[in-house]
Amino acid sequence: MAVLEKIRVKFGLAISIIIALALLSFIIDPSTLQTVAQTMSSKNDVGSIAGKSISYTDFSADIDRYKTINEIMTGSSVMNEAAAQQVRDAAWQELVDKYLFIKNAKAAGIGVGQDEMVALTTGDMVSPIISQNPMFMGQDGSFAPENVLEFVKAVNNDPSGRLKLYWNYIQNAVYVRQFYAKYGSLFTSSYYMNDIQKAADIAMNNTSANVDFVMVPYGSAKDSTITVNSRDVKAYYKSHKKLYKQIANRDIEYVVFEVVPSQEDINYANEKLVEVYDEFGSTDNMKAFLLKNSERQYSEYWYKAGELSPVNAEVNDFVFNGGQGVSPIFRNGNTFCAAKVMANANIPDSVYVKHILLQGANARHLADSLAGEVRKGANFASLAAIYSADQSSAADGEMGNIGWMTQTYMLPGFESVITAETGKPFVLKTNYGTHVVVVSKKTAPVAKKQVAILEKTAIASEQTFNEYYAKANKFAVLTGGSFEGYKKAVDSLGVYSHQMNINEGTSSYGAIDNAKEVTRWAFDVKKKGKASDIITVNQNFFFIAAVKEIRKEGYTSLEELTPVISQILYSEKRNAEFKDEVALKIAGMTSLEEIASALNSTLNTNQDIAFSTFGMQMMDPAALGAMYKAPIGEVAGPVAGMAGVYVFRVNTRETGSFYTEEDARMTNSQKAQYNSQMVLPVMMDAADVKDNRARFF
């Protein structure tokens, strides 16, 4: 248990974040993973990886294991939704590594042997996953190999098995990272640029040109003489089908009835605040009073001018513009509040804090003794190095230094440091243990106030709730369970219908979060044209949804893409014909002025067209490419671009030397790095990885 507590202290005090779950975050961006996610492999599977089905039961066990690791590191079993998502992502990534990436890496001839693992964990080439772990740092803040050995010994003596679980996690992270490092090195090293490619890259990036040109836009009018037949569309679809791969999705429409307080509910909230208003001004126990009567509990936070504006601008004006006693009752929307200034003081925004953490039965007695030694002039850093259970706090190179703290960046239990005297040691108790604390310096003091706020917000009564439910129910009944009925209900009742495309991961509908129930209903529907009963979200939103279109995993249908492809083919034909028309009109002309007149256009000049890889390009790519190769002094074109047809003359082409061989090497390295990041997504796509977690979580 001592070792477990040590982990919690080091991670809690030093960084207070879940480092472990981010160890592999360099591998792949979550948004990239989503692009290769697929739909259900079977009803009870959260997905499949390289043909291996991942059952909900097995994946839940993996999640529980990661939750335990998180608890070991933080000392808390409480997790918000963001942390829970990190846990699920980490558990899924482990499976992808196990069943796909490592398998492919081994097939490429890569291996990580037992002797190599020893060297990476406790030997002479320790992995950053271990050497940068605060748990294994010494008194000076640097990696201490002896701490790893001490931990391994503790693993063998831990009957709970929790330390073994954590050590296995670390070892696996080291093992997997080594495979990624080797595979990445193999991949990037093979990304070779030969001398011819290098010379061409340098030449292009060092070249600029002075160009005169005439551009004739295509225009927006439809040309009825240009036709696209179904055979052309079908051929295009067949040759470009991979571009139209899709995950399962739905087109839905929905109405939502939000339960909002009635005027009677608002009046009631005001009356309840008025009833206790006088007592608010006279109570001797503000903390207990607010606990009983207010939605905003008492806080010892010291506010400065402006910081109460988010609560209520009128409260801020009252408090910081000489208001006395209890403020009037102010209203902001459906919220009523009153304020009372409890204390005034000049308080710094930041204080620099040192501490010595002591644990055990004798902690208080030892803390008093050490505080006395510090008062006599003992070196604080030396005492922290000898006695402190927190050996990771060493800001600015001195043991015991936590660093700068503010009221919003504060360790729980340390709030009193904001008003502590500089240089005077004192003892405080927190959930971590007993601390000897010294505030060594602070920023300039600012006038601040402690303020009690009595707050009541109007909430919908049961009667109001039932009235909105009745409205939603009337709509649901009118739909008759069909999309056609849904549309009639919208017209009949005059409500607004929202349109949305969703996938299985959709959980927010506009500004309404945590609405996964709507998504689950839509994906449980097997045929389009269905409308739902009332779906209650967050206890105050009543949804009625209808499925307009169902698209399965695979490829967007030819029927749905026909209008899109027809427009693409129309543009291609129009551009080609327009180019031919321009060529016919200017045949035999050698002057751009004459060409501009013949085309009823204007002559333009660009003095510095760059062909660099970097920076914004203002010229159409097709025209830019033609200008790079065109002979100097000759009229060239026409060239069909994206917006129109170009005829141009390159007057001069200049070559600089600002883009060097080193720049070319760096550019190539960046390309290799980018491509290496696509290795895992490509593997996942090739292995037909299906990630259906969104259906279950």
Side-chain angles (χ1 to χ4, degrees), residues 1-24 64-79 83 86-87 90 129-130 132-136 151 162-163 165-171 173 392 432:
M1 291 303 295
V3 177
L4 288 176
E5 186 61 30
K6 189 174 183 182
I7 294 175
R8 294 167 186 167
V9 168
K10 283 181 175 287
F11 280 93
L13 291 177
I15 48 180
S16 299
I17 58 173
I18 309 172
I19 291 181
L21 300 182
L23 287 176
L24 301 179
D64 289 341
R65 177 164 51 85
Y66 270 90
K67 284 181 178 178
T68 301
I69 292 168
N70 176 57
E71 184 177 346
I72 291 171
M73 297 177 64
T74 64
S76 173
S77 60
V78 178
M79 298 176 63
Q86 280 186 308
V87 165
I129 289 175
I130 292 178
Q132 295 175 12
N133 188 326
M135 177 62 200
F136 305 124
F151 181 85
R162 289 163 69 85
L163 291 185
L165 176 66
Y166 180 57
W167 180 238
N168 286 343
Y169 168 78
I170 291 177
Q171 288 181 297
S392 64
Y432 297 108

Side-chain angles (χ1 to χ4, degrees), residues 320-476:
F320 293 103
N321 289 316
Q324 301 295 319
V326 179
S327 75
I329 296 174
F330 301 117
R331 178 180 176 181
N332 183 17
N334 293 333
T335 299
F336 299 88
C337 65
K340 180 180 179 181
V341 177
M342 304 298 293
N344 299 271
N346 290 323
I347 304 295
D349 286 334
S350 305
V351 295
Y352 196 93
V353 181
K354 304 180 177 184
H355 86 134
I356 299 170
L357 174 62
L358 304 170
Q359 297 170 330
N362 196 39
R364 179 70 200 202
H365 177 74
L366 180 56
D368 291 336
S369 176
L370 292 178
E373 292 297 317
V374 175
R375 292 188 190 99
K376 295 175 185 178
N379 185 279
F380 193 94
S382 297
L383 293 177
I386 297 170
Y387 294 102
S388 183
D390 175 21
Q391 293 293 307
S392 64
S393 292
D396 301 317
E398 284 195 20
M399 285 300 301
N401 286 11
I402 296 177
W404 288 100
M405 287 188 179
T406 67
Q407 290 186 95
T408 54
Y409 183 73
M410 177 70 61
L411 292 173
F414 271 65
E415 289 78 9
S416 59
V417 299
I418 289 293
T419 55
E421 292 184 40
T422 305
K424 184 177 180 179
F426 63 99
V427 177
L428 61 80
K429 185 88 163 83
T430 72
N431 290 335
Y432 297 108
T434 302
H435 308 254
V436 179
V437 179
V438 171
V439 173
S440 61
K441 49 189 173 181
K442 56 180 68 175
T443 56
V446 179
K448 297 185 180 183
K449 301 175 186 288
Q450 284 185 328
V451 183
I453 300 174
L454 174 64
E455 185 175 273
K456 291 281 187 183
T457 300
I459 60 174
S461 64
E462 183 178 355
Q463 179 181 345
T464 301
F465 185 92
N466 290 337
E467 287 173 356
Y468 278 96
Y469 187 89
K471 292 179 182 178
N473 188 59
K474 180 179 180 180
F475 185 96

Side-chain angles (χ1 to χ4, degrees), residues 288-334:
F289 172 82
L290 292 180
L291 185 64
K292 178 181 178 182
N293 298 291
S294 176
E295 293 163 6
R296 186 179 294 273
Q297 303 308 302
Y298 185 68
S299 169
E300 295 184 352
Y301 186 90
W302 290 92
Y303 294 94
K304 62 182 178 181
E307 288 188 330
L308 283 168
S309 293
V311 176
N312 185 291
E314 292 174 299
V315 166
N316 187 78
D317 290 342
F318 173 85
V319 169
F320 293 103
N321 289 316
Q324 301 295 319
V326 179
S327 75
I329 296 174
F330 301 117
R331 178 180 176 181
N332 183 17
N334 293 333

Side-chain angles (χ1 to χ4, degrees), residues 257 471-472 474-476 478 488-496:
F257 295 86
K471 292 179 182 178
K474 180 179 180 180
F475 185 96
L478 286 174
K488 290 180 179 178
V490 168
D491 293 337
S492 174
L493 298 180
V495 296
Y496 181 76

Side-chain angles (χ1 to χ4, degrees), residues 101-111 177-192 668-669 672-673 675-677 679 683:
F101 178 77
I102 291 178
K103 178 182 176 182
N104 287 346
K106 287 181 176 180
I110 296 172
R177 179 183 173 128
Q178 191 69 356
F179 271 103
Y180 272 100
K182 289 183 175 183
Y183 198 99
S185 177
L186 178 68
F187 189 88
T188 54
S189 296
S190 65
Y191 204 86
Y192 174 70
N668 193 59
S669 176
Q673 182 65 29
N675 287 332
S676 68
Q677 292 174 358
V679 167
M683 284 185 182

Side-chain angles (χ1 to χ4, degrees), residues 521-676:
W521 173 83
F523 276 84
D524 283 340
V525 171
K526 303 306 178 185
K527 292 183 178 181
K528 64 182 181 181
K530 299 290 186 180
S532 73
D533 292 326
I534 295 174
I535 304 171
T536 304
V537 173
N538 301 332
Q539 302 302 315
N540 64 328
F541 295 101
F542 300 130
F543 280 75
I544 296 93
V547 176
K548 185 177 180 180
E549 188 63 61
I550 292 177
R551 299 182 188 87
K552 297 181 179 180
E553 169 197 352
Y555 299 92
T556 307
S557 69
L558 174 61
E559 179 183 5
E560 190 170 354
L561 286 171
T562 292
V564 176
I565 296 174
S566 295
Q567 181 58 46
I568 293 172
L569 295 176
Y570 168 81
S571 296
E572 289 179 353
K573 288 187 175 184
R574 177 205 61 188
N575 296 357
E577 289 190 12
F578 197 82
K579 174 186 171 183
D580 292 341
E581 290 174 5
V582 168
L584 187 61
K585 287 181 180 180
I586 66 173
M589 297 181 184
T590 58
S591 165
L592 280 180
E593 289 79 5
E594 183 183 7
I595 290 172
S597 177
L599 296 176
N600 196 27
S601 184
T602 57
L603 179 62
N604 301 282
T605 298
N606 193 322
Q607 297 286 349
D608 193 20
I609 291 180
F611 302 101
S612 171
T613 305
F614 304 101
M616 288 277 296
Q617 295 292 353
M618 305 305 293
M619 184 64 69
D620 192 300
L624 194 66
M627 291 171 185
Y628 181 67
K629 289 292 187 180
I632 295 175
E634 297 181 12
V635 173
V639 174
M642 297 173 62
V645 171
Y646 292 80
V647 183
F648 61 90
R649 179 182 62 236
V650 177
N651 299 318
T652 61
R653 190 178 288 119
E654 299 177 1
T655 302
S657 59
F658 53 87
Y659 188 85
T660 65
E661 284 195 18
E662 178 63 18
D663 293 324
R665 187 191 66 79
M666 288 296 297
T667 301
N668 193 59
S669 176
Q670 291 169 2
K671 291 178 182 177
Q673 182 65 29
Y674 171 78
N675 287 332
S676 68

